[in-house]
Amino acid sequence: MSASTPSEPLGAGASGAPADPPADPVPDHDVRAVLAITPFRRLWLALGLSSFGDWLGLLATTALAAALPQTPAAKLLAVSGVFILRLAPAVFFGPLAGVVADRLPRRWTLVYGDVLRFLLFCSIPLVGTLWWLYVATVLVEVVGLFWMPAKDATVPNLVPRRRLEAANQLSLVVTYGSAPLAAVAFSGLSLVSGMVDGVVPHFQGHPTYLALYVDALTYLVSAAVIWRLDFPEKVSHAERQESILRTAVEGWRYIGSTPLVRGLVLGMLGAFAAGGFVIGLAQSFVGALGAGPPGYGVLFGAVFVGMAAGMWIAPRLLAEFSRRRLFGLSIGAAGGWLVLMSLVPNIALAVFFTLGLGACAGAAWVTGYTLLGLEVGDDVRGRTFAFVQSMVRVVLISVLAIGPVVAAGFSKGLGLPHTVHLTDDVSLTYTGVMATFLLAGLIAMAIGLVAFRQMDDRPGVSLVTDLVQAMRQRHLHHPPARRDPYPGRFVVFEGGDGAGKSTQVRLLGEWLHEQGYRARLTHEPGATPVGHRLREVLLHGEPLTARAEALLFAADRAHHVESVVRPALEDGEIVVSDRFVDSSVAYQGSGRDLGTAEVAQLSRWATQGLTPDLTVVLDVEPHEGRSRRGDEHDRLESESDEFHGRIRERFLELARRAPSRYLVLDAALDPQHLHEQVVARLQGVLPESPVARAAREEREAREAAERAERAAREAAEREERERREAQEREQVERLRAEQEAREQAERAAREAVERQERERREAQERARAEQQAAELAAQQAADAARRRAEERSQAAQPLDRAPDQAADRLDQTIVQAPVDVTAPLPKVTAPPASTPARKPRRRSRRDPDVVALEDEIFGLGEQDDR
């Protein structure tokens, strides 16, 4: 295990302040630090309430769907229908909802989404029909498709970038961890409903109604919490999402050409298929066992408790076990638990079997997801994960649709249910659901076997021996002791002999010096005077036993860390080391076959848990490293290629287990290209360099001056704009006043003309009325005079012919000029005002007969008067 000779530390005497310590000394993944962020904590609580409501709603709706139909087959199909309708919207509308939700105001999307789900869940028991249950289920899922992207897009705006991963982990925990709580709550509410149905008739015969109302209430409380949450609205311009068809085509193309990924995807889909059979048929399963809704809730919760335990415990319990082997083994074990559940139909044992099934499924899921992230290239990783997510839903829908049909077919074809009496007091009843569980378990075991054979990375090593070795070594695995973060940073280069580590250490030291960092370059073994003597013993001295070699390397490392590395880190320097703990784990643990766990524990004790901030693994083939080293070899370099091959595999295995802290590079690339990749990765590890800080401060000062200049310019423009607007307003007001004055004058003139015209018409009407009245009075006076004259004539006329002739003439006169007193008066038009009134025309000549008649009448009258 050669290393470069000691180099002078670069930048030790350079000017410039040490690197600033982190502003927040709390580790990035500290849960309390993330929950201390008030906006995120409130959103997290709202997510917990909504997730609790989702699981409780799933339990309540499936239980209600099973209660509404009458026949067993209809009950199975109704429950499957609910599951299918909950998953179908995500398959068909998921990409569209993600794009639309990203363009909507996120706060209102979350609030309105919770309120709508509250109303929909309240409507299910109020309507109380199966068709509305289906409709409401689809609508709830569609609303959820908008709610979840809005929530996921909001989290990065509420927490610092360095704490985003911890925030996502908390979100995942509360999303799936609320399932067992919902199961317990559903069981309790089902029991309570039987106590209150006598008081509230609405609950009689419907034990799931109370759970539905409580479920609706959780969404209303979540909306109230988000309503009070004030977070920034940051709408991103999301890229166009591919369709399900295109995603499937791209995913199949990559999966078909990669055996490892093909095994991973096949195994993950198989695990979900097995779980789908359990979830889809659990209602009928517990019904056949006589457990009812409470038993269904317990069984449902056991699945998720087991999954959480498997995700958390399996990677720690089998830390040294191959992840590729663990994946296939977990799927096969899940199938075995399902077979046991089908063969022993007892509710107490079924809960135990379900816990084991969930634990194995959880271990398979977390292992498969991790391996996908490690093995799939970055250029196709997104499409592959999108394909897996889409296919998982398709598989679940298919299983939920096929499961009841298969169970019904087994019941009819095998004449189930069938009861087996073991003793007088013990009997087992087998139904079509149990037969379906048996078939699903056998399929899962076959899938696990296929995945194990495709992905086995330790051929020839007994599986049992491997498991025993991993269990024996697990007690040596302890996390490094927590320490306060150092102002400095620790970077380590690892890899086989001849990989070019010393070259990369030198290039990185030069770059750090150029950036103004204070750097300390070191190596193992031999960086101190004591270490130099140990190096001679280790690499060029007499042969040593494997354990003595491991102890001497640990002694050199303990002295190296205590005298060189830790003081430099505490002083704010960037320490770059050629080899560290991983070299002992690889060379002595795997190469010498001492056991990686024991060697790792020894190194942790020697370094007091010091862990590099970044470990760069330069991957080199054993024969390539041998050709690079030339003819001179120390005691470790002279080992066989098979020895160096085991070392290489151990380095890669360590990197696969902690990808966030490792960078694996192909040592065959150009050294300068490798250096550029290392520098690019260090951008997220190192504190800001003095050169970058000076450039930033200069840029910020320039930007501040530009902002001030821009602000002054904008202020001047704003003042000029306000002045122009004031002038425009004044001009508009003046024009408006002039317009109003003109309109008022015109209105006054019109009113005067109208008034004069009205007065003229009124005068004409009065004159016409007066003339008509005068004519009428004259006519009446004439009529009265004639009547009086007639009366006098008749009274005074002698009884001779003369009076008769006079009377005849008077009658003829009256007949010649009859007067119709009923006819309307003729319309008299008043003469124009300018025309003087015409005087009545005197008669020039009078009718002799009329004169004679008047003389006779009036003469007679005068005689009578006398």
Side-chain angles (χ1 to χ4, degrees):
M1 186 168 57
S2 62
S4 60
T5 58
S7 303
E8 291 297 328
L10 297 176
S15 61
D20 295 333
D24 185 4
V26 181
D28 294 349
H29 290 80
D30 189 86
V31 174
R32 290 172 298 179
V34 179
L35 292 179
I37 304 172
T38 302
F40 172 75
R41 184 175 66 254
R42 291 179 179 176
L43 182 63
W44 182 71
L45 291 174
L47 173 63
L49 288 170
S50 294
S51 299
F52 178 83
D54 286 339
W55 295 118
L56 184 60
L58 177 62
L59 290 165
T61 52
T62 51
L64 180 60
L68 291 176
Q70 300 299 324
T71 62
K75 292 177 182 292
L76 287 172
L77 295 176
V79 173
S80 297
V82 171
F83 281 109
I84 293 171
L85 292 176
R86 288 184 69 94
L87 294 173
V91 176
F92 295 101
F93 303 110
L96 176 62
V99 173
V100 175
D102 200 32
R103 299 177 182 178
L104 297 175
R106 291 171 185 157
R107 180 169 180 250
W108 298 114
T109 301
L110 298 176
V111 172
Y112 291 154
D114 280 336
V115 172
L116 285 175
R117 288 189 284 186
F118 161 74
L119 297 175
L120 287 170
F121 273 109
C122 283
S123 69
I124 292 175
L126 293 176
V127 177
T129 59
L130 185 61
W131 71 268
W132 177 249
L133 172 64
Y134 287 159
V135 172
T137 298
V138 173
L139 294 177
V140 165
E141 290 304 311
V142 171
V143 172
L145 291 177
F146 291 88
W147 198 93
M148 286 303 296
K151 186 274 299 179
D152 292 334
T154 300
V155 173
N157 297 336
L158 302 181
V159 299
R161 183 181 182 86
R162 57 192 289 252
R163 300 199 185 280
L164 180 59
E165 185 176 5
N168 290 333
Q169 289 176 342
L170 283 172
S171 300
L172 186 64
V173 168
V174 76
T175 298
Y176 292 99
S178 57
L181 299 178
V184 174
F186 176 74
S187 299
L189 291 172
S190 299
L191 296 175
V192 172
S193 178
M195 303 176 185
V196 301
D197 57 2
V199 180
V200 183
H202 179 61
F203 295 135
Q204 290 182 357
H206 301 287
T208 59
Y209 279 9
L210 182 60
L212 286 170
Y213 285 124
V214 173
D215 176 30
L217 186 61
T218 61
Y219 291 109
L220 188 62
V221 176
S222 174
V225 172
I226 299 176
W227 175 271
R228 298 177 58 239
L229 177 62
D230 185 16
F231 53 84
E233 292 288 348
K234 182 179 179 183
V235 180
S236 60
H237 299 284
E239 296 180 358
R240 180 180 61 86
Q241 298 188 14
E242 294 181 344
S243 64
I244 297 294
L245 179 59
R246 180 163 183 172
T247 302
V249 170
E250 292 293 335
W252 277 114
R253 183 177 301 158
Y254 179 77
I255 291 170
S257 60
T258 311
L260 174 62
V261 179
R262 184 169 60 247
L264 283 171
V265 173
L266 177 64
M268 294 173 73
L269 297 181
F272 264 92
F277 275 113
V278 175
I279 295 174
L281 299 175
Q283 183 75 30
S284 298
F285 178 73
V286 297
L289 299 180
Y296 173 53
V298 172
L299 201 67
F300 187 89
V303 173
F304 289 94
V305 170
M307 288 184 65
M311 291 180 181
W312 181 259
I313 296 175
R316 292 166 173 76
L317 186 66
L318 300 174
E320 285 298 312
F321 192 67
S322 168
R323 290 299 181 264
R324 300 189 183 188
R325 285 188 157 195
L326 178 61
F327 178 73
L329 182 63
S330 300
I331 297 174
W337 286 111
L338 193 55
V339 169
L340 288 176
M341 187 184 301
S342 67
L343 296 178
V344 188
N346 177 272
I347 186 61
L349 293 177
V351 173
F352 175 73
F353 295 152
T354 303
L355 285 171
L357 170 64
C360 293
W365 175 252
V366 70
T367 304
Y369 225 73
T370 303
L371 288 175
L372 275 180
L374 293 175
E375 301 294 341
V376 177
D378 184 67
D379 55 337
V380 294
R381 186 178 301 150
R383 284 174 289 178
T384 303
F385 275 108
F387 168 79
V388 171
Q389 294 291 343
S390 300
M391 290 305 300
V392 161
R393 289 175 171 83
V394 172
V395 168
L396 281 176
I397 291 176
S398 302
V399 169
L400 294 174
I402 295 174
V405 177
V406 175
F410 276 130
S411 297
K412 184 176 180 180
L414 300 178
L416 301 175
H418 177 70
T419 302
V420 177
H421 297 279
L422 300 179
T423 64
D424 293 338
D425 299 326
V426 179
S427 62
L428 300 176
T429 300
Y430 294 96
T431 64
V433 173
M434 284 74 164
T436 306
F437 281 178
L438 177 62
L439 177 62
L442 295 176
I443 293 175
M445 293 176 68
I447 292 175
L449 179 61
V450 173
F452 182 86
R453 289 185 175 180
Q454 283 195 353
M455 300 172 56
D456 188 10
D457 58 347
R458 296 182 182 180
V461 179
S462 171
L463 176 61
V464 176
T465 302
D466 207 5
L467 277 172
V468 172
Q469 180 74 5
M471 294 294 294
R472 186 175 64 85
Q473 294 179 353
R474 73 177 180 85
H475 69 279
L476 295 175
H477 274 271
H478 299 289
R482 286 189 60 178
R483 61 171 177 80
D484 294 332
Y486 297 115
R489 297 292 186 273
F490 190 22
V491 182
V492 173
F493 284 87
E494 297 282 11
D497 293 309
K501 298 180 298 299
S502 58
T503 301
Q504 293 302 317
V505 169
R506 176 180 55 79
L507 292 175
L508 182 57
E510 294 174 356
W511 180 82
L512 292 171
H513 179 70
E514 292 173 358
Q515 296 298 316
Y517 291 106
R518 293 187 301 129
R520 177 70 60 92
L521 305 186
T522 185
H523 63 278
E524 289 185 359
T528 64
V530 174
H532 183 70
R533 291 194 292 273
L534 290 174
R535 176 189 177 89
E536 292 298 322
V537 175
L538 286 166
L539 301 181
H540 305 289
E542 296 296 327
L544 297 171
T545 63
R547 293 186 180 275
E549 182 181 87
L551 290 171
L552 287 177
F553 274 115
D556 171 76
R557 183 166 296 118
H559 185 65
H560 177 223
V561 168
E562 195 65 28
S563 59
V564 177
V565 178
R566 185 169 282 112
L569 292 174
E570 292 174 347
D571 196 32
E573 297 185 46
I574 308 301
V575 179
V576 183
S577 177
D578 182 349
R579 296 196 183 280
F580 195 56
V581 172
D582 290 348
S583 288
S584 290
V585 174
Y587 277 84
Q588 281 72 51
S590 294
R592 300 299 189 196
D593 201 19
L594 291 179
T596 57
E598 290 90 340
V599 175
Q601 179 65 17
L602 177 63
S603 296
R604 290 193 189 96
W605 178 82
T607 62
Q608 300 181 42
L610 179 63
T611 304
D613 295 287
L614 177 65
T615 300
V616 181
V617 176
L618 300 178
D619 183 33
V620 62
E621 294 282 353
H623 62 86
E624 177 66 21
R626 181 178 297 279
S627 64
R628 289 186 177 191
R629 293 192 300 269
D631 298 331
E632 296 184 1
H633 303 284
D634 58 34
R635 191 158 52 85
L636 291 177
E637 291 173 345
S638 60
E639 293 288 346
S640 64
D641 286 351
E642 191 272 336
F643 174 86
H644 289 282
R646 293 198 301 272
I647 293 170
R648 180 194 179 206
E649 288 299 323
R650 178 54 56 184
F651 278 129
L652 296 178
E653 178 69 18
L654 292 171
R656 281 194 294 266
R657 292 183 181 180
S660 61
R661 194 174 59 82
Y662 282 84
L663 173 63
V664 180
L665 299 176
D666 186 1
L669 299 176
D670 179 70
Q672 187 61 37
H673 182 61
L674 292 174
H675 170 67
E676 292 173 357
Q677 294 188 55
V678 172
V679 169
R681 178 63 180 272
L682 282 174
Q683 299 298 326
V685 176
L686 298 180
E688 188 179 25
S689 69
V691 173
R693 184 167 57 250
R696 177 179 55 80
E697 292 174 352
E698 180 183 357
R699 183 178 64 257
E700 290 176 352
R702 184 172 60 255
E703 292 175 353
E706 292 176 354
R707 284 195 300 270
E709 181 181 356
R710 184 167 57 252
R713 185 169 60 251
E714 291 176 354
E717 293 175 354
R718 185 168 56 254
E719 183 179 354
E720 177 64 20
R721 184 170 59 254
E722 292 175 353
R723 186 185 62 80
R724 289 197 302 268
E725 291 176 354
Q727 290 179 350
E728 292 175 357
R729 284 196 299 271
E730 292 177 358
Q731 184 177 1
V732 170
E733 292 294 336
R734 186 173 62 255
L735 294 176
R736 183 183 297 113
E738 294 176 355
Q739 179 68 19
E740 291 178 353
R742 285 195 301 270
E743 292 177 354
Q744 187 175 3
E746 292 175 357
R747 186 165 55 251
R750 285 196 304 270
E751 291 176 354
V753 172
E754 291 174 357
R755 186 169 57 254
Q756 292 176 358
E757 180 66 20
R758 186 168 58 254
E759 292 175 353
R760 185 184 64 81
R761 286 197 300 268
E762 292 175 354
Q764 291 178 353
E765 291 293 336
R766 285 195 301 272
R768 185 166 55 251
E770 292 174 355
Q771 182 180 357
Q772 291 176 353
E775 291 177 353
L776 179 60
Q779 186 176 1
Q780 291 176 352
D783 293 341
R786 281 195 297 271
R787 285 194 299 271
R788 288 194 301 271
E790 182 179 357
E791 291 174 355
R792 292 190 186 102
S793 175
Q794 290 177 357
Q797 184 177 7
L799 298 176
D800 54 7
R801 183 172 178 82
D804 293 336
Q805 293 177 352
D808 293 337
R809 288 194 298 268
L810 180 59
D811 292 337
Q812 292 175 359
T813 303
I814 294 173
V815 171
Q816 289 175 356
V819 177
D820 186 3
V821 296
T822 62
L825 295 177
K827 186 176 181 181
V828 179
T829 303
S834 60
T835 304
R838 297 174 60 183
K839 295 181 179 180
R841 186 173 57 184
R842 294 181 179 272
R843 300 176 65 96
S844 57
R845 291 184 299 178
R846 302 179 65 184
D847 190 351
D849 295 332
V850 174
V851 173
L853 178 61
E854 289 178 354
D855 291 339
E856 290 179 357
I857 294 174
F858 288 106
L860 179 61
E862 289 177 356
Q863 294 176 359
D864 293 338
D865 289 339
R866 286 195 299 269

